[in-house]
Short mmCIF file of all heavy atoms in Angstrom, two decimals:
data_model
loop_
_atom_site.label_atom_id
_atom_site.label_comp_id
_atom_site.label_asym_id
_atom_site.label_seq_id
_atom_site.Cartn_x
_atom_site.Cartn_y
_atom_site.Cartn_z
N GLN A 226 32.47 -1.69 23.25
CA GLN A 226 32.80 -1.69 21.83
C GLN A 226 32.08 -0.64 21.05
O GLN A 226 32.67 -0.06 20.10
CB GLN A 226 32.52 -3.08 21.27
CG GLN A 226 33.38 -4.21 21.89
CD GLN A 226 34.79 -4.02 21.61
OE1 GLN A 226 35.17 -3.71 20.45
NE2 GLN A 226 35.61 -4.07 22.64
N SER A 227 30.81 -0.44 21.29
CA SER A 227 30.07 0.45 20.45
C SER A 227 29.09 1.25 21.34
O SER A 227 28.69 0.85 22.40
CB SER A 227 29.33 -0.27 19.31
OG SER A 227 28.65 -1.39 19.80
N PHE A 228 28.71 2.42 20.78
CA PHE A 228 28.01 3.42 21.56
C PHE A 228 26.93 4.07 20.72
O PHE A 228 27.11 4.23 19.53
CB PHE A 228 28.98 4.49 22.08
CG PHE A 228 30.18 3.90 22.76
CD1 PHE A 228 31.30 3.50 22.04
CD2 PHE A 228 30.18 3.69 24.13
CE1 PHE A 228 32.43 2.99 22.64
CE2 PHE A 228 31.28 3.14 24.75
CZ PHE A 228 32.43 2.76 23.99
N PHE A 229 25.78 4.36 21.33
CA PHE A 229 24.68 4.93 20.56
C PHE A 229 24.00 5.99 21.37
O PHE A 229 23.96 5.92 22.63
CB PHE A 229 23.70 3.81 20.28
CG PHE A 229 24.32 2.56 19.67
CD1 PHE A 229 24.75 1.56 20.46
CD2 PHE A 229 24.47 2.42 18.29
CE1 PHE A 229 25.36 0.42 19.95
CE2 PHE A 229 25.00 1.32 17.71
CZ PHE A 229 25.49 0.27 18.59
N TYR A 231 20.07 7.20 21.57
CA TYR A 231 18.67 7.00 21.16
C TYR A 231 17.87 8.19 21.69
O TYR A 231 18.12 8.79 22.70
CB TYR A 231 18.13 5.74 21.76
CG TYR A 231 18.51 4.46 21.06
CD1 TYR A 231 19.80 3.95 21.16
CD2 TYR A 231 17.58 3.78 20.24
CE1 TYR A 231 20.21 2.79 20.54
CE2 TYR A 231 17.97 2.59 19.58
CZ TYR A 231 19.24 2.13 19.72
OH TYR A 231 19.56 0.97 19.06
N GLN A 233 13.98 9.18 22.89
CA GLN A 233 12.67 8.61 23.31
C GLN A 233 11.75 9.74 23.59
O GLN A 233 11.93 10.50 24.52
CB GLN A 233 12.83 7.69 24.51
CG GLN A 233 11.49 6.94 24.74
CD GLN A 233 11.71 5.82 25.81
OE1 GLN A 233 12.59 5.88 26.65
NE2 GLN A 233 10.85 4.84 25.75
N ARG A 236 6.07 8.37 26.01
CA ARG A 236 5.09 7.28 25.73
C ARG A 236 5.37 6.60 24.34
O ARG A 236 4.52 6.05 23.76
CB ARG A 236 3.65 7.76 25.78
CG ARG A 236 3.33 8.36 27.16
CD ARG A 236 1.96 9.03 27.15
NE ARG A 236 0.88 8.07 27.36
CZ ARG A 236 0.49 7.63 28.51
NH1 ARG A 236 1.10 8.07 29.62
NH2 ARG A 236 -0.50 6.78 28.63
N LYS A 237 6.59 6.81 23.86
CA LYS A 237 6.95 6.12 22.62
C LYS A 237 8.18 5.25 22.80
O LYS A 237 8.89 5.30 23.83
CB LYS A 237 7.32 7.20 21.53
CG LYS A 237 6.19 8.15 21.23
CD LYS A 237 5.22 7.48 20.29
CE LYS A 237 4.19 8.52 19.80
NZ LYS A 237 3.20 7.89 18.90
N GLU A 238 8.50 4.43 21.78
CA GLU A 238 9.63 3.59 21.89
C GLU A 238 10.94 4.42 21.58
O GLU A 238 10.90 5.40 20.88
CB GLU A 238 9.56 2.45 20.90
CG GLU A 238 9.81 2.74 19.45
CD GLU A 238 8.59 3.30 18.71
OE1 GLU A 238 7.65 3.79 19.38
OE2 GLU A 238 8.61 3.23 17.48
N PRO A 239 12.10 3.90 22.07
CA PRO A 239 13.37 4.58 21.74
C PRO A 239 13.63 4.45 20.20
O PRO A 239 13.38 3.41 19.59
CB PRO A 239 14.41 3.79 22.51
CG PRO A 239 13.66 3.07 23.57
CD PRO A 239 12.31 2.76 22.93
N LEU A 241 16.73 5.18 17.28
CA LEU A 241 18.14 5.37 17.10
C LEU A 241 18.38 6.80 16.53
O LEU A 241 17.83 7.15 15.50
CB LEU A 241 18.77 4.31 16.22
CG LEU A 241 20.27 4.46 15.95
CD1 LEU A 241 21.02 4.26 17.26
CD2 LEU A 241 20.68 3.44 14.91
N SER A 244 24.74 6.44 15.85
CA SER A 244 25.75 5.54 16.34
C SER A 244 27.06 6.36 16.50
O SER A 244 27.26 7.25 15.70
CB SER A 244 26.02 4.38 15.38
OG SER A 244 24.80 3.68 15.15
N VAL A 245 27.85 6.07 17.48
CA VAL A 245 29.06 6.85 17.77
C VAL A 245 30.26 6.09 17.27
O VAL A 245 30.59 5.03 17.85
CB VAL A 245 29.18 7.18 19.26
CG1 VAL A 245 30.34 8.17 19.43
CG2 VAL A 245 27.91 7.78 19.78
N TYR A 246 30.87 6.53 16.23
CA TYR A 246 31.99 5.88 15.61
C TYR A 246 33.27 6.40 16.13
O TYR A 246 33.45 7.60 16.28
CB TYR A 246 31.96 6.06 14.07
CG TYR A 246 30.67 5.62 13.44
CD1 TYR A 246 30.03 6.44 12.53
CD2 TYR A 246 30.06 4.41 13.71
CE1 TYR A 246 28.91 6.05 11.90
CE2 TYR A 246 28.87 4.05 13.08
CZ TYR A 246 28.28 4.86 12.19
OH TYR A 246 27.14 4.48 11.60
N SER A 247 34.26 5.59 16.34
CA SER A 247 35.61 5.95 16.73
C SER A 247 35.57 7.12 17.71
O SER A 247 35.02 7.00 18.81
CB SER A 247 36.51 6.26 15.54
OG SER A 247 35.95 7.29 14.74
N LEU A 282 18.62 8.79 25.37
CA LEU A 282 19.22 7.61 26.05
C LEU A 282 20.59 7.33 25.49
O LEU A 282 20.79 7.22 24.29
CB LEU A 282 18.33 6.42 25.79
CG LEU A 282 16.85 6.46 26.31
CD1 LEU A 282 16.12 5.19 25.86
CD2 LEU A 282 16.80 6.72 27.75
N ASN A 286 27.21 -0.89 24.12
CA ASN A 286 27.32 -2.33 23.90
C ASN A 286 28.68 -2.75 24.45
O ASN A 286 29.73 -2.36 23.95
CB ASN A 286 27.27 -2.71 22.41
CG ASN A 286 27.33 -4.21 22.18
OD1 ASN A 286 27.71 -4.97 23.06
ND2 ASN A 286 26.99 -4.64 20.97
N TRP A 291 26.55 -10.61 22.26
CA TRP A 291 25.67 -10.06 21.24
C TRP A 291 24.39 -9.54 21.82
O TRP A 291 23.70 -10.28 22.52
CB TRP A 291 25.39 -11.17 20.19
CG TRP A 291 24.58 -10.70 19.05
CD1 TRP A 291 23.21 -10.48 19.05
CD2 TRP A 291 24.96 -10.47 17.70
NE1 TRP A 291 22.80 -10.16 17.79
CE2 TRP A 291 23.85 -10.11 16.96
CE3 TRP A 291 26.23 -10.52 17.06
CZ2 TRP A 291 23.90 -9.81 15.60
CZ3 TRP A 291 26.27 -10.22 15.73
CH2 TRP A 291 25.15 -9.88 15.01
N GLY A 292 24.07 -8.33 21.61
CA GLY A 292 22.79 -7.76 21.97
C GLY A 292 22.61 -7.35 23.40
O GLY A 292 21.56 -6.75 23.70
N LYS A 293 23.60 -7.50 24.26
CA LYS A 293 23.37 -7.14 25.65
C LYS A 293 23.71 -5.68 25.87
O LYS A 293 24.71 -5.32 26.46
CB LYS A 293 24.15 -8.03 26.58
CG LYS A 293 23.68 -9.51 26.41
CD LYS A 293 24.01 -10.42 27.53
CE LYS A 293 23.53 -10.03 28.85
NZ LYS A 293 23.70 -11.13 29.79
N PHE A 294 22.89 -4.86 25.30
CA PHE A 294 23.05 -3.40 25.43
C PHE A 294 22.86 -2.96 26.87
O PHE A 294 21.98 -3.48 27.55
CB PHE A 294 22.16 -2.66 24.44
CG PHE A 294 22.57 -2.74 23.03
CD1 PHE A 294 23.39 -3.78 22.48
CD2 PHE A 294 22.20 -1.76 22.12
CE1 PHE A 294 23.78 -3.77 21.22
CE2 PHE A 294 22.57 -1.76 20.81
CZ PHE A 294 23.37 -2.81 20.32
N PHE A 296 21.70 0.40 28.99
CA PHE A 296 20.96 1.65 28.74
C PHE A 296 21.17 2.60 29.93
O PHE A 296 21.01 2.18 31.10
CB PHE A 296 19.51 1.34 28.57
CG PHE A 296 19.14 0.74 27.31
CD1 PHE A 296 19.37 -0.63 27.11
CD2 PHE A 296 18.63 1.47 26.24
CE1 PHE A 296 19.05 -1.23 25.89
CE2 PHE A 296 18.31 0.90 25.03
CZ PHE A 296 18.50 -0.46 24.86
N GLY A 297 21.43 3.85 29.61
CA GLY A 297 21.33 4.89 30.61
C GLY A 297 19.90 5.23 30.92
O GLY A 297 18.97 4.83 30.13
N ALA A 298 19.70 5.93 31.99
CA ALA A 298 18.34 6.29 32.38
C ALA A 298 17.78 7.47 31.55
O ALA A 298 16.57 7.74 31.67
CB ALA A 298 18.26 6.61 33.86
N GLY A 299 18.65 8.08 30.79
CA GLY A 299 18.12 9.15 29.92
C GLY A 299 18.36 10.53 30.42
O GLY A 299 18.40 10.76 31.65
N ARG B 263 -1.71 -1.70 24.01
CA ARG B 263 -1.90 -1.42 25.41
C ARG B 263 -2.98 -2.40 25.88
O ARG B 263 -3.76 -2.90 25.14
CB ARG B 263 -2.31 0.03 25.66
CG ARG B 263 -3.63 0.38 24.98
CD ARG B 263 -4.02 1.83 25.31
NE ARG B 263 -3.05 2.78 24.84
CZ ARG B 263 -2.46 3.71 25.63
NH1 ARG B 263 -2.76 3.81 26.88
NH2 ARG B 263 -1.56 4.53 25.16
N MET B 284 18.50 -12.11 16.05
CA MET B 284 18.38 -11.84 17.52
C MET B 284 17.16 -10.97 17.69
O MET B 284 16.95 -9.99 17.10
CB MET B 284 19.61 -11.09 17.98
CG MET B 284 20.95 -11.69 17.69
SD MET B 284 21.13 -13.30 18.40
CE MET B 284 21.33 -12.81 20.15
N PHE B 286 14.90 -9.40 21.15
CA PHE B 286 15.01 -9.15 22.55
C PHE B 286 13.74 -8.59 23.14
O PHE B 286 12.99 -7.94 22.46
CB PHE B 286 16.14 -8.11 22.83
CG PHE B 286 17.45 -8.43 22.17
CD1 PHE B 286 17.75 -7.94 20.89
CD2 PHE B 286 18.35 -9.25 22.81
CE1 PHE B 286 18.91 -8.27 20.25
CE2 PHE B 286 19.54 -9.58 22.19
CZ PHE B 286 19.81 -9.09 20.95
N TYR B 288 12.36 -6.24 26.36
CA TYR B 288 12.71 -5.33 27.42
C TYR B 288 11.50 -4.90 28.20
O TYR B 288 10.34 -4.96 27.71
CB TYR B 288 13.32 -4.05 26.77
CG TYR B 288 14.70 -4.18 26.21
CD1 TYR B 288 14.88 -4.64 24.88
CD2 TYR B 288 15.83 -3.84 26.96
CE1 TYR B 288 16.16 -4.76 24.36
CE2 TYR B 288 17.11 -3.92 26.43
CZ TYR B 288 17.29 -4.37 25.13
OH TYR B 288 18.54 -4.44 24.60
N GLN B 290 10.24 -1.43 30.47
CA GLN B 290 10.58 -0.11 30.87
C GLN B 290 9.50 0.40 31.85
O GLN B 290 8.33 0.67 31.43
CB GLN B 290 10.69 0.86 29.71
CG GLN B 290 11.16 2.25 30.13
CD GLN B 290 11.37 3.18 28.90
OE1 GLN B 290 10.73 3.06 27.84
NE2 GLN B 290 12.29 4.17 29.03
N GLN B 294 11.80 5.00 34.33
CA GLN B 294 13.08 4.23 34.35
C GLN B 294 13.56 4.00 32.92
O GLN B 294 12.89 4.25 31.95
CB GLN B 294 12.81 2.87 35.00
CG GLN B 294 12.24 2.92 36.35
CD GLN B 294 13.17 3.47 37.42
OE1 GLN B 294 14.29 3.06 37.44
NE2 GLN B 294 12.69 4.39 38.30
N SER B 295 14.82 3.49 32.85
CA SER B 295 15.33 3.13 31.56
C SER B 295 14.90 1.65 31.21
O SER B 295 14.14 1.06 31.94
CB SER B 295 16.84 3.29 31.55
OG SER B 295 17.30 3.16 30.18
N LEU B 296 15.45 1.18 30.16
CA LEU B 296 15.09 -0.16 29.72
C LEU B 296 15.84 -1.25 30.44
O LEU B 296 17.06 -1.08 30.66
CB LEU B 296 15.35 -0.26 28.19
CG LEU B 296 14.30 0.37 27.24
CD1 LEU B 296 14.49 1.86 27.23
CD2 LEU B 296 14.43 -0.20 25.88
N LEU B 298 16.62 -5.34 30.15
CA LEU B 298 16.54 -6.54 29.31
C LEU B 298 15.91 -7.68 30.08
O LEU B 298 16.39 -8.03 31.17
CB LEU B 298 17.89 -6.90 28.74
CG LEU B 298 17.93 -8.10 27.80
CD1 LEU B 298 17.12 -7.87 26.50
CD2 LEU B 298 19.41 -8.45 27.48
N GLU B 311 17.69 -12.86 31.72
CA GLU B 311 18.58 -12.06 32.50
C GLU B 311 18.32 -12.33 33.98
O GLU B 311 17.23 -12.82 34.36
CB GLU B 311 18.45 -10.56 32.15
CG GLU B 311 18.80 -10.27 30.70
CD GLU B 311 20.23 -10.66 30.40
OE1 GLU B 311 21.13 -10.16 31.06
OE2 GLU B 311 20.43 -11.41 29.44
N LEU B 345 8.80 -3.86 25.49
CA LEU B 345 9.32 -3.59 24.13
C LEU B 345 10.05 -4.76 23.57
O LEU B 345 10.88 -5.36 24.28
CB LEU B 345 10.23 -2.33 24.21
CG LEU B 345 9.67 -1.04 24.65
CD1 LEU B 345 10.65 -0.29 25.54
CD2 LEU B 345 9.35 -0.16 23.43
N GLU B 349 18.20 -6.79 16.44
CA GLU B 349 19.55 -6.23 16.25
C GLU B 349 19.86 -6.30 14.74
O GLU B 349 19.52 -7.18 14.06
CB GLU B 349 20.54 -7.09 16.97
CG GLU B 349 21.86 -6.45 17.04
CD GLU B 349 22.66 -6.77 18.34
OE1 GLU B 349 22.00 -7.15 19.29
OE2 GLU B 349 23.85 -6.63 18.34
N ARG B 351 23.03 -5.27 11.95
CA ARG B 351 24.44 -4.90 11.82
C ARG B 351 24.58 -4.12 10.56
O ARG B 351 24.29 -4.58 9.43
CB ARG B 351 25.26 -6.20 11.73
CG ARG B 351 26.79 -6.01 11.74
CD ARG B 351 27.47 -7.35 11.97
NE ARG B 351 27.31 -7.78 13.32
CZ ARG B 351 28.23 -7.58 14.29
NH1 ARG B 351 29.37 -6.96 14.01
NH2 ARG B 351 27.99 -8.03 15.53
N ASP B 352 25.02 -2.88 10.73
CA ASP B 352 25.06 -2.01 9.54
C ASP B 352 26.32 -2.23 8.75
O ASP B 352 27.09 -3.11 9.02
CB ASP B 352 24.88 -0.52 9.96
CG ASP B 352 26.09 0.02 10.61
OD1 ASP B 352 27.13 -0.64 10.75
OD2 ASP B 352 26.04 1.20 11.01
N VAL B 354 29.08 -0.81 8.53
CA VAL B 354 30.41 -0.73 9.23
C VAL B 354 30.46 -1.64 10.41
O VAL B 354 31.28 -1.44 11.29
CB VAL B 354 30.75 0.72 9.59
CG1 VAL B 354 30.97 1.55 8.31
CG2 VAL B 354 29.68 1.37 10.47
N TYR B 356 28.48 -2.03 12.95
CA TYR B 356 28.04 -1.57 14.27
C TYR B 356 26.64 -2.19 14.47
O TYR B 356 25.73 -1.97 13.63
CB TYR B 356 27.92 -0.05 14.39
CG TYR B 356 29.26 0.57 14.67
CD1 TYR B 356 30.17 0.81 13.69
CD2 TYR B 356 29.60 0.79 16.00
CE1 TYR B 356 31.41 1.32 13.99
CE2 TYR B 356 30.87 1.34 16.28
CZ TYR B 356 31.73 1.59 15.32
OH TYR B 356 32.97 2.13 15.59
N ASN B 357 26.46 -2.97 15.51
CA ASN B 357 25.18 -3.64 15.68
C ASN B 357 24.22 -2.75 16.43
O ASN B 357 24.40 -2.47 17.58
CB ASN B 357 25.40 -5.00 16.46
CG ASN B 357 26.32 -4.79 17.70
OD1 ASN B 357 27.20 -3.95 17.71
ND2 ASN B 357 25.99 -5.50 18.71
N GLU B 358 23.28 -2.28 15.69
CA GLU B 358 22.27 -1.32 16.22
C GLU B 358 21.01 -2.12 16.56
O GLU B 358 20.71 -3.12 15.98
CB GLU B 358 22.00 -0.27 15.22
CG GLU B 358 23.21 0.52 14.80
CD GLU B 358 23.06 1.30 13.50
OE1 GLU B 358 22.11 1.02 12.73
OE2 GLU B 358 23.86 2.25 13.26
N GLN B 359 20.29 -1.61 17.52
CA GLN B 359 18.98 -2.23 17.90
C GLN B 359 17.85 -1.31 17.53
O GLN B 359 17.95 -0.09 17.68
CB GLN B 359 18.93 -2.54 19.39
CG GLN B 359 19.76 -3.72 19.80
CD GLN B 359 19.35 -4.32 21.18
OE1 GLN B 359 18.31 -3.96 21.70
NE2 GLN B 359 20.21 -5.17 21.68
N PHE B 360 16.80 -1.90 17.02
CA PHE B 360 15.61 -1.15 16.67
C PHE B 360 14.44 -1.77 17.46
O PHE B 360 14.34 -2.93 17.64
CB PHE B 360 15.39 -1.25 15.18
CG PHE B 360 16.46 -0.62 14.41
CD1 PHE B 360 17.48 -1.38 13.92
CD2 PHE B 360 16.45 0.73 14.14
CE1 PHE B 360 18.54 -0.82 13.20
CE2 PHE B 360 17.52 1.32 13.42
CZ PHE B 360 18.55 0.53 12.98
N PHE B 361 13.56 -0.82 17.92
CA PHE B 361 12.51 -1.18 18.83
C PHE B 361 11.12 -1.19 18.23
O PHE B 361 10.84 -0.37 17.38
CB PHE B 361 12.51 -0.27 20.07
CG PHE B 361 13.75 -0.47 20.93
CD1 PHE B 361 14.97 0.17 20.65
CD2 PHE B 361 13.66 -1.21 22.00
CE1 PHE B 361 16.00 0.05 21.45
CE2 PHE B 361 14.76 -1.48 22.80
CZ PHE B 361 15.94 -0.84 22.56
N GLY B 362 10.29 -2.11 18.70
CA GLY B 362 8.90 -2.03 18.40
C GLY B 362 8.25 -0.88 19.18
O GLY B 362 8.89 -0.29 20.05
N PRO B 363 7.00 -0.63 18.83
CA PRO B 363 6.31 0.55 19.42
C PRO B 363 5.97 0.29 20.91
O PRO B 363 5.49 1.29 21.60
CB PRO B 363 5.03 0.69 18.60
CG PRO B 363 4.85 -0.64 18.03
CD PRO B 363 6.17 -1.26 17.83
N GLY B 364 6.06 -0.91 21.44
CA GLY B 364 5.86 -1.09 22.84
C GLY B 364 4.40 -1.54 23.12
O GLY B 364 3.46 -1.21 22.35
N ARG B 366 1.91 -1.14 26.32
CA ARG B 366 1.70 -0.49 27.66
C ARG B 366 0.73 -1.32 28.46
O ARG B 366 -0.46 -1.46 28.13
CB ARG B 366 1.19 0.92 27.46
CG ARG B 366 1.10 1.73 28.75
CD ARG B 366 0.69 3.14 28.44
NE ARG B 366 1.68 3.87 27.60
CZ ARG B 366 2.76 4.46 28.07
NH1 ARG B 366 3.02 4.54 29.38
NH2 ARG B 366 3.60 5.05 27.28
#
Side-chain angles (χ1 to χ4, degrees):
Chain A
Q226 297 296 312
S227 48
F228 309 87
F229 310 90
Y231 281 74
Q233 187 171 28
R236 305 173 81 83
K237 299 282 190 180
E238 76 276 21
L241 180 65
S244 302
V245 187
Y246 305 131
S247 58
L282 302 176
N286 184 345
W291 182 284
K293 298 200 57 169
F294 284 25
F296 288 78
Chain B
R263 61 178 62 233
M284 310 295 290
F286 308 93
Y288 288 85
Q290 186 175 28
Q294 305 290 316
S295 192
L296 281 76
L298 180 64
E311 297 301 304
L345 296 141
E349 191 147 341
R351 189 167 287 262
D352 74 2
V354 292
Y356 279 84
N357 48 327
E358 301 164 342
Q359 283 198 16
F360 298 95
F361 290 86
R366 186 175 297 274

